[in-house]
Amino acid sequence: MTVDWIADLESTVRALLVPAKGILAADESLPTIERRFSALGIPSTEETRRAYRAMLFTTPGLCAHISGAILFDETLHQRTADGVPLLDVLTNAGIVPGITVDTGLVAL
């Protein structure tokens, strides 16, 4: 008898390991996304970051190439301009969302 969490894990792994698809790393930290936006003259506000992520996740045909997306914590609470949670956008497209657990470098 398989434990439920093992079956869930196996299902997730199968969904991620689809041939010819990859994982979108959309987990830029606030300092990283600020540097990227700054180089383009875009202010790094919660709204511009939300709009950027919404643009990425609603790209037509994204699910034909992406099986999973690594997200930054802020993304978990964001919605599209018309109010759809970004997590729902991904899951409705068959893309497995995940969250980064990296909290940055620390001195050892």
Side-chain angles (χ1 to χ4, degrees), residues 25-108:
D27 61 335
E28 297 95 345
S29 67
L30 296 179
T32 298
I33 203 165
E34 185 170 346
R35 280 192 305 274
R36 291 181 181 174
F37 279 17
S38 179
L40 299 169
I42 301 168
S44 180
T45 65
E46 186 175 355
E47 175 55 24
T48 58
R49 294 187 303 270
R50 183 211 58 76
Y52 168 70
R53 293 174 182 131
M55 178 196 63
L56 283 177
F57 301 160
T58 60
T59 297
L62 182 68
C63 63
H65 307 282
I66 300 296
S67 60
I70 306 168
L71 308 176
F72 181 64
D73 179 69
E74 180 180 58
T75 314
L76 300 178
H77 314 287
Q78 292 179 323
R79 298 172 175 266
T80 63
D82 56 349
V84 179
L86 292 180
L87 284 177
D88 290 353
V89 170
L90 293 170
T91 55
N92 291 342
I95 297 172
V96 178
I99 185 166
T100 187
V101 294
D102 180 7
T103 58
L105 298 174
V106 294
L108 297 177

